Amino acid sequence: MWFRLLNFLRAEFVGKTMIFLAEAGARNRSPFDRVARFILHLVFAVPKHDDFMADDYVDNDEGYDLDELKRYQSGQ
């Protein structure tokens, strides 16, 4: 969504708007601050299917436990 805004609006305007929304979202004092945080989440959140850093083994709590890792590292 961020890049779509840059195609239609000037980058300076988009940057100032995002900084304004980030400051408002950090305050969390009024309903507008919550709306600002929600807008930032929509703009900057990466969908799970596009997140190349997500790992199914970590998300599903699969993989090696600590004892298995120690045995592997010691060569047993």
Side-chain angles (χ1 to χ4, degrees):
M1 182 172 177
W2 175 256
F3 296 109
R4 291 180 188 159
L5 285 175
L6 286 177
N7 289 334
F8 296 110
L9 303 171
R10 292 179 49 135
E12 178 182 345
F13 172 74
V14 174
K16 287 182 179 182
T17 304
M18 297 313 290
I19 290 172
F20 171 75
L21 290 173
E23 289 174 352
R27 282 193 305 256
N28 195 21
R29 292 186 202 151
S30 68
F32 173 73
D33 296 343
R34 291 187 183 102
V35 170
R37 193 170 341 115
F38 179 73
I39 291 171
L40 286 173
H41 176 72
L42 288 178
V43 171
F44 288 115
V46 177
K48 187 165 177 113
H49 64 276
D50 289 338
D51 189 7
F52 66 92
M53 295 293 288
D55 189 0
D56 290 337
Y57 288 111
V58 175
D59 292 342
N60 298 329
D61 198 24
E62 297 175 358
Y64 296 109
D65 63 0
L66 188 57
D67 293 333
E68 287 177 315
L69 184 59
K70 286 181 181 177
R71 284 196 304 270
Y72 175 78
Q73 287 176 341
S74 65
Q76 295 178 353

